[in-house]
Amino acid sequence: MTLRTREQYIESIRKMKAEAYMLGKPIPDVTKNGFTKLALRGIGSIYDLTRDERYADTLTRKDERGRVISAYCSIHRSREDLVNRVKTARLICQKTGVCTASRCCGWDALNALWHTTFEVDSRHGTGYHKRLRRYASMMQGKDLTCAGALTDPKGNRSLKPKHQPDKDMYLRVVDEDKKGIVVRGAKAMIGGAIGSHEIIVQPGTGFTEPEKEHAVSFAIPLNTDGIVQLVNMQPGGERKLEEGFDKGNVSCGSSESLVVFDDVFIPRERVFMNGEHDFATDVVTKFVLLHRAVLGGCLAGCGDVLTGAAALLAEYNGLSRQLSDRLTEMTYLSEALYAQALGAAHEGQSTPSGAWFPDSLLSNVTKTSVTRLPFEIQRIAEDIGGGMVACMPSELDLRSPRIGPLIEKYYRGGHGVTAEKRLRAARLIESMVAGPGRLGNLCMHGGGSPAAAQMGIRQLSDLENKKEMARRLADIS
Amino acid sequence: MTLRTREQYIESIRKMKAEAYMLGKPIPDVTKNGFTKLALRGIGSIYDLTRDERYADTLTRKDERGRVISAYCSIHRSREDLVNRVKTARLICQKTGVCTASRCCGWDALNALWHTTFEVDSRHGTGYHKRLRRYASMMQGKDLTCAGALTDPKGNRSLKPKHQPDKDMYLRVVDEDKKGIVVRGAKAMIGGAIGSHEIIVQPGTGFTEPEKEHAVSFAIPLNTDGIVQLVNMQPGGERKLEEGFDKGNVSCGSSESLVVFDDVFIPRERVFMNGEHDFATDVVTKFVLLHRAVLGGCLAGCGDVLTGAAALLAEYNGLSRQLSDRLTEMTYLSEALYAQALGAAHEGQSTPSGAWFPDSLLSNVTKTSVTRLPFEIQRIAEDIGGGMVACMPSELDLRSPRIGPLIEKYYRGGHGVTAEKRLRAARLIESMVAGPGRLGNLCMHGGGSPAAAQMGIRQLSDLENKKEMARRLADIS
Amino acid sequence: MTLRTREQYIESIRKMKAEAYMLGKPIPDVTKNGFTKLALRGIGSIYDLTRDERYADTLTRKDERGRVISAYCSIHRSREDLVNRVKTARLICQKTGVCTASRCCGWDALNALWHTTFEVDSRHGTGYHKRLRRYASMMQGKDLTCAGALTDPKGNRSLKPKHQPDKDMYLRVVDEDKKGIVVRGAKAMIGGAIGSHEIIVQPGTGFTEPEKEHAVSFAIPLNTDGIVQLVNMQPGGERKLEEGFDKGNVSCGSSESLVVFDDVFIPRERVFMNGEHDFATDVVTKFVLLHRAVLGGCLAGCGDVLTGAAALLAEYNGLSRQLSDRLTEMTYLSEALYAQALGAAHEGQSTPSGAWFPDSLLSNVTKTSVTRLPFEIQRIAEDIGGGMVACMPSELDLRSPRIGPLIEKYYRGGHGVTAEKRLRAARLIESMVAGPGRLGNLCMHGGGSPAAAQMGIRQLSDLENKKEMARRLADIS
Amino acid sequence: MTLRTREQYIESIRKMKAEAYMLGKPIPDVTKNGFTKLALRGIGSIYDLTRDERYADTLTRKDERGRVISAYCSIHRSREDLVNRVKTARLICQKTGVCTASRCCGWDALNALWHTTFEVDSRHGTGYHKRLRRYASMMQGKDLTCAGALTDPKGNRSLKPKHQPDKDMYLRVVDEDKKGIVVRGAKAMIGGAIGSHEIIVQPGTGFTEPEKEHAVSFAIPLNTDGIVQLVNMQPGGERKLEEGFDKGNVSCGSSESLVVFDDVFIPRERVFMNGEHDFATDVVTKFVLLHRAVLGGCLAGCGDVLTGAAALLAEYNGLSRQLSDRLTEMTYLSEALYAQALGAAHEGQSTPSGAWFPDSLLSNVTKTSVTRLPFEIQRIAEDIGGGMVACMPSELDLRSPRIGPLIEKYYRGGHGVTAEKRLRAARLIESMVAGPGRLGNLCMHGGGSPAAAQMGIRQLSDLENKKEMARRLADIS
């Protein structure tokens, strides 16, 4: 059994002592800092659930040797695997209420590279795929959490990489010898990096020949010399630094980091692309396909939690019946996302490498829906939540001997519901519409911008075929 | 080979000489009347395409004896069958641009009854399922088109069936003997009845014990004594009575009828439910589940045609590039419907009878999307189409020696596109946003009203489970 | 009293015997043709209502000499006049259920030219404004209906006017002498031309110096030699050719024409622009400002009728209470359009000529809403209307001795509502969602395309000012 | 000149030393606490702008004696005053970026009471109106900021006030003598209370005769014995306790409180309703009418700031041109709200008291739009903002010697834009989509819930009149 417990996972991260900063100061122990502790619990939940027999079908796979491994370290080898990828996303979001991005992105990156290294080797006679297989096997055996990294800082977005005044705006190879390469640059918005063992880096966009120094991919432990993590401060993130229920979701958290590579040495066996710019677009595309489809599952899962929180507060307020239509609409929106993701997965195809990917067009369609519908879910949650979600007392008020009794009296709900229950439900809603776990945060830019997804749809819309349908029916020669 | 040709199909319908009226007059020959002729061509296209090898995977199945049969006469025996059901819908709509409702509804009715007769027999020891199997085998062997009928006139919708002043507002058994039953009533909005060999009748809603006379299901040829069809006049239907391109879609048509049962005798071997009111809801539900999911495919297919027509007119106007964003949005909307339908199909389940049905919740979700997104597709088509779609000359104007040359001059498009081409494309758009094939017609009430689908979502939304998710994350005991 | 009666108006149009064609044939008498007769009734309703004291405040004005004139022939001389312009639009649409475009467009054209002739004279020392005042006085005295004409055929829309292979794609001056000018070209989608005494022609877009032959404006009776009207065939227009209720709106109709100018002589006193290309954009802009704002009133009025029709059918079906939410949403949408139009009118400004125009930004905003919200109104109407709106028998069926009794039985509503009442209400809805009076027809291209309105918003959005607000609050220097 | 300076205002509030708590602790000096200090600056901005000549037309009025007074203390005496009410709201939100609710609510409450006291006196022969006039004169002369209070805690919302187990769930009179009344209860979500001199209390809903103890209205200084304010903790409110730009809006803040009345004595001359339950609905309705209309101006103003912030970040990223369409859409949405508010104001009517109120139907329509469109504005802002708005470093990171240079390097924008500028713009967006100033907070529950506004539309939709329109056009007798 290769599956770690949550405690083993957390301890393994603590021991790494990766260099990381937050609010301008180093984080000496990620299990002590309230913010990072909560993020580790989010990822840690995956470890716990993976060992829970009820979820074995969804969360575990067998590797080629028959070992039970975490699905998060697996290659998608069938349509069913892709569908399970979506179901995993929904399940974990239902259980954590947050984006546990790192394991997801690492999973997607592993699959994208599985395919691309195979293709690069076929064309260029390189040996990347074999390396990657070894890496995957190690990752599976140790049940690692690997962050996935694409997004470069990009500087002036209207300029191409080769025209940037500072070339480091796209991560690049600055030196190379027999043993390995040296990389410089940064990757932004890396979900869950602070709770990851390794980081799998891919190009963030396509590159041309003169830009081939940027066409680089590798995996490396996050405590490697020269890697510096800056953990970002989310809206409402301050509350996570403290104990108490004002953070809304008191069980799990998320995190994002800027990960800086300050001339970091990458040994050759960890390099999966190095200058093959003609495949940079391919690996990005495969990664985002997975991500764009899967987001339908993530947002459905988080939508479920938010719907549940809204239903709870409606019940506490004695308004379950009156708000039934609105709750039904929330359910509709979450399920519409989920159904689309399932459709994209179902229509997936395998590649020569053996890895499966969801349908390109439907993945972009799902992502487009994901950038729209969750905002309506949030809107209805704020409607149901009432003015209380917009303004309410804090736990410190509730605990105060002077103020507490007033709150207990005036915030009591129907049928003996205590003020604390109502406040907890309201804070959970608040955190999902205006805090770190707000759906709008999860849905908009993961897997690329809305514009990128629309571009994908445009390219795949096959208008010529549709024009031909119209011509035939209108008898236009 | 049991598959008929289009010509064989049309001739077989012509020969039936079912009693039918339109615009207050009898239709002596359905192949002569412009309106019904076009409707037959719509259904006839299915026959042609079914014999086309390129579509064999989608449009044919094998029966238990290994005969190749039309998918439209088959029972869904796997997840793949359900997915193909959706793909069939999209394909046929792409090829015809219309709702060829009869074969679809007959198909769905057959499957619903396959399941329900099995269940009724299990509980009541009746012999319906065996009868239905014989019927299905006959239908397959003769490659019949069977209309499916649910909707009763309903009279005052705020009253239950048993309180209606006129009991015939819900079709019912008025007499019965050993040989069979006699039914009276009507079924409304029966798509494609005029082009169908038989009609498969089901209850239109659930019934209680005192209403059991309405709990009746049977199949019967449409030229049976006492059956009268009133073919409805659609918006723009007048144009179908004439030749020419002003009807927009010059290749295929659709039709709907009120089918009146004026004390019609149904022989016992054609009766599949007779008083088992406890299963009326079950058979309705199974029918609409299929229909609600499949509509995602239908509307995607019709959306494709409309997108193609809009792209064509944009091209003729020299505006393809400027309108690219809007065309992409049309594609997005169609594909979102399709993806949801696929998701609903993928999550389908089998029943003890061996028939598969799509996921209940996701079917209702798909249907709900189907009642919304196509209106946005129409809106964008009107935007792209420009003022021309709102007002344009007719073919008679174009053919007139006095007026024709003026139209030829002033309606010419860019790059030598003739006025006729532009007018044909514009009329096709017009017919799909404001004519008989308008998407809004297809999408709103097929498979039940939007309110019924929302009710379905409410019942399946499992709020208790979602509340529990919220309680756990907010630590509410 | 200068106000004509409806009968006087209709007779005056009949006598003109303008050259007009429909379905490839000449229209010898516009009061005999079912289609044009109905269109005349639409415009004629304005005449009747104008003489009705209850509407005097809205529909009449006083001219400079104190004569009571039709508001439709007046110049907007105050904020109150602009607001009344919007209220007039709503009232007339409530009373007719259709777009009575000609009087509206003539009214807007008169106001636009009032301003622009004043400006042209100021810069170029021409004498257009005095001419226009004489024209306006004559129009007021005779209570004329004048169509307004902007839209040129445009040919290949990706080419500028000067690059069109056929220069006539934009109406232009082809000859000129002391007495007047000769024009050639066509104006498309001219609402109500068949029921108009005169046509007021303006440029359809801005022109540059080399294109100045197109910068021409004039007014001329529609029975002038060389003018040919081609009346377009609307969706459902065929029904208007016959008597009976299947046309839905049995009281009023609308029409649109292509008006061809086949080398038409325009006497100098009727010319209001002739080559002053530097003002072509100005006059177009002023016209569309009025139109874009006023459309909010039109669509609110038509929305009211459609809401009423939906409420009626809901009542007949015994579902008023259940559909109350949806009916409320329809009201909301109509009123939102109206409120925006009022806002645009209220913020109007006067020009040096004394004519007032609505606020530019808010007019474009109103128009943008007008291209969106009515489609949702239609959608809800189709939802409420039920399957019946999608398919129902015709009046001929109802009148047939064989079929009629069946329809009378099976289409009866609750509480003794006859089938005819239900069918009439359903046909009215049908005609407003899928017929000639469909909201989507009225709203999309009147006053220019959605893209043009969005361009207007972009140009007026003053982002620099908004950036400064943000900089100040974020303390960015 | 009765207009105070900002400093005078702030000092006057400081001196009051009202009893207030936050995070469980007393606030000894509201000008020292970072959170309340910022809230005072928000309201203080109104004082500054009122003395600025450029805004005199909007922000000042003359009282009956000709004194220049703050518009915020005035009675609306004309249509123009109502329109200015909307323009004031937009202006102040543009300048502060926040809801400065207290002065607004006090203003609206004053106007509502002006009307209702007049009506109550007319029916009951009481002397409330004269008292209120004296109060208004004092408020004007001292240029007071008065919070407006309606919302009661309400307990179990499915129970009527008289059935609540704890009657204090609705504020009520518990004792009374010649000198005055004693009230007990609480008012929730009182915007700006911490920065207000007085609080004007009104009933929160309609009451029946047995509930008349709740039908009470009065005004009282907030430092009166027995009044306790609990300042709520907003999402992101923690940042306001500290200096620095991470709060986004560094210039102004907002606040909301629960204001508890723990047996507070109100002298008779400050009581404006006491048991006249038949007017409780009237005063609530008048208050919310104003509020519902005016919100269109507020959200337009905050929308302007957010649009500006998004435009700024787009510019810093070198993407102004590519994002032009999305920025235009943001402008459209803000202006659509504004136009509706203007429409509602324009259609306002005066009451016998001389006070004007906006149109009831259009106010509810505006409010309904306000509960929808701002969420789309937020959505687009998140789209434009990019991943950076979802996660970014804090100011403490930027100031850190170790981390700062990395941020300076990797967060630099195009054309020499510093990281700090980009972070400031991004934090401003963040605070308006996921912080205390998020539009969704401002728009949803101010002036009552979306459901209440929809109920208002339903009651005023006059379906009978609309049905009559339909009947006439379809010739239904």
Side-chain angles (χ1 to χ4, degrees), chain D residues 120-368:
Chain D
V120 171
D121 288 359
S122 302
R123 185 183 299 173
H124 295 293
T126 40
Y128 293 127
H129 191 60
K130 200 170 159 192
R131 277 187 203 161
L132 189 78
R133 294 178 83 101
R134 274 198 302 267
Y135 181 74
S137 182
M138 184 278 293
M139 177 179 169
Q140 292 160 357
K142 295 192 176 173
D143 201 11
L144 295 184
T145 288
C146 299
L150 273 85
T151 308
D152 295 288
K154 295 200 285 280
N156 184 336
R157 281 146 179 75
S158 65
L159 299 179
K160 298 202 167 169
K162 64 185 170 192
H163 297 133
Q164 295 291 333
D166 180 351
K167 295 221 160 191
D168 303 345
M169 286 300 111
Y170 291 81
L171 186 138
R172 63 193 182 110
V173 178
V174 292
D175 203 0
E176 180 169 2
D177 64 15
K178 282 199 173 160
K179 293 191 180 157
I181 59 175
V182 177
V183 298
R184 186 189 303 155
K187 291 285 180 176
M189 307 163 211
I190 307 306
I194 196 66
S196 300
H197 302 98
E198 303 231 342
I199 185 164
I200 304 178
V201 171
Q202 291 177 203
T205 184
F207 296 109
T208 57
E209 210 283 335
E211 298 162 336
K212 70 179 180 182
E213 67 195 288
H214 303 297
V216 60
S217 174
F218 56 85
I220 199 81
L222 276 156
N223 60 354
T224 301
D225 269 4
I227 296 183
V228 186
Q229 291 182 53
L230 317 190
V231 180
N232 296 147
M233 180 41 58
Q234 304 162 326
E238 290 81 356
R239 289 190 193 152
K240 295 189 183 177
L241 296 167
E242 310 292 335
E243 289 303 315
F245 68 67
D246 286 324
K247 59 177 82 82
N249 184 338
V250 300
S251 305
C252 296
S254 60
S255 74
E256 299 87 17
S257 305
L258 180 77
V259 180
V260 178
F261 295 82
D262 204 4
D263 290 6
V264 176
F265 173 76
I266 315 291
R268 199 148 290 271
E269 71 268 19
R270 289 304 197 83
V271 177
F272 307 125
M273 176 180 285
N274 182 16
E276 294 82 5
H277 65 90
D278 46 342
F279 282 95
T281 298
D282 185 55
V283 70
V284 175
T285 302
K286 284 291 180 291
F287 176 89
V288 297
L289 273 193
L290 279 166
H291 217 71
R292 287 177 191 176
V294 167
L295 275 169
C298 303
L299 270 296
C302 287
D304 290 337
V305 174
L306 184 50
T307 305
L312 208 56
L313 192 54
E315 178 191 310
Y316 293 166
N317 291 344
L319 292 173
S320 297
R321 201 176 49 73
Q322 292 90 325
L323 295 170
S324 168
D325 274 2
R326 283 160 158 87
L327 289 165
T328 299
E329 183 69 11
M330 293 179 83
T331 298
Y332 159 70
L333 292 162
S334 294
E335 298 292 341
L337 295 171
Y338 183 56
Q340 290 179 41
L342 291 176
H346 178 85
E347 291 292 286
Q349 300 278 346
S350 80
T351 60
S353 70
W356 282 64
F357 293 90
D359 181 73
S360 301
L361 177 53
L362 298 188
S363 292
N364 282 302
V365 163
T366 303
K367 162 74 187 183
T368 299

Side-chain angles (χ1 to χ4, degrees), chain B residues 63-234:
Chain B
D63 73 1
E64 289 162 343
R65 283 173 288 167
R67 284 186 306 182
V68 171
I69 60 168
S70 167
Y72 281 85
C73 301
S74 71
I75 301 301
H76 309 305
R77 297 191 170 282
S78 66
R79 169 167 296 138
E80 198 188 353
D81 279 355
L82 285 177
V83 169
N84 266 334
R85 176 74 185 85
V86 173
K87 294 190 174 181
T88 299
R90 186 170 192 174
L91 173 66
I92 297 301
C93 285
Q94 286 179 333
K95 295 292 184 183
T96 64
V98 296
C99 171
T100 55
S102 59
R103 288 211 101 180
C104 289
C105 291
W107 189 3
D108 293 346
L110 188 71
N111 275 274
L113 285 167
W114 191 273
H115 158 77
T116 303
T117 53
F118 187 95
E119 297 292 325
V120 171
D121 289 359
S122 302
R123 186 184 299 174
H124 294 293
T126 41
Y128 294 126
H129 191 61
K130 200 170 160 193
R131 277 188 204 161
L132 189 79
R133 294 177 82 102
R134 274 199 301 267
Y135 180 75
S137 183
M138 184 277 293
M139 177 178 168
Q140 291 159 358
K142 296 192 176 173
D143 200 11
L144 296 184
T145 288
C146 299
L150 274 83
T151 308
D152 295 288
K154 294 201 285 279
N156 184 336
R157 282 146 178 77
S158 64
L159 298 179
K160 299 202 166 169
K162 63 183 170 192
H163 296 133
Q164 295 290 333
D166 180 352
K167 295 222 159 188
D168 303 345
M169 287 299 112
Y170 291 80
L171 187 140
R172 63 195 182 108
V173 179
V174 292
D175 202 1
E176 179 168 3
D177 65 13
K178 282 200 173 160
K179 294 192 180 157
I181 60 175
V182 177
V183 297
R184 186 188 303 154
K187 291 285 182 178
M189 308 163 210
I190 306 306
I194 197 65
S196 300
H197 301 97
E198 303 229 345
I199 186 164
I200 304 177
V201 171
Q202 292 177 202
T205 183
F207 296 109
T208 58
E209 211 281 336
E211 298 162 335
K212 72 179 177 182
E213 66 194 289
H214 304 296
V216 60
S217 174
F218 56 86
I220 199 80
L222 274 157
N223 58 356
T224 301
D225 270 2
I227 296 184
V228 187
Q229 291 182 53
L230 318 190
V231 180
N232 296 148
M233 180 44 56
Q234 304 162 327

Side-chain angles (χ1 to χ4, degrees), chain B residues 21 31 60 73 77 79 102 204 253 287 318 337 369 387 415 440 454 469:
Chain B
Y21 297 81
T31 66
T60 64
C73 301
R77 297 191 170 282
R79 169 167 296 138
S102 59
F287 176 89
L337 295 171
S369 298
H415 307 295
Q454 282 155 8
M469 293 174 199

Side-chain angles (χ1 to χ4, degrees), chain D residues 51-71:
Chain D
R51 296 167 58 96
D52 186 327
E53 282 189 12
R54 288 172 295 172
Y55 307 117
D57 282 355
T58 309
L59 298 180
T60 63
R61 301 278 187 286
K62 291 203 172 159
D63 72 3
E64 290 162 342
R65 284 173 288 166
R67 286 186 307 182
V68 172
I69 60 168
S70 167

Side-chain angles (χ1 to χ4, degrees), chain A residues 80-97:
Chain A
E80 198 187 354
D81 279 356
L82 285 178
V83 169
N84 266 334
R85 177 74 184 83
V86 173
K87 294 189 174 182
T88 299
R90 186 169 191 175
L91 172 66
I92 297 300
C93 285
Q94 286 179 332
K95 295 291 184 185
T96 64

Side-chain angles (χ1 to χ4, degrees), chain A residues 104-110 112-113 147-154 169-171 186-191 199-207 214 216-218 257 259 261 280-289 291-292 445-448:
Chain A
C104 289
C105 292
W107 190 2
D108 293 344
L110 187 71
L113 284 168
L150 273 84
T151 308
D152 296 287
K154 294 201 283 283
M169 287 301 111
Y170 292 81
L171 186 140
K187 291 285 181 178
M189 307 164 210
I190 306 307
I199 186 165
I200 304 178
V201 171
Q202 291 176 204
T205 184
F207 295 108
H214 303 296
V216 60
S217 174
F218 56 86
S257 305
V259 180
F261 296 83
T281 298
D282 186 55
V283 71
V284 175
T285 302
K286 283 291 180 291
F287 176 90
V288 297
L289 272 193
H291 217 70
R292 287 177 190 176
H445 293 283

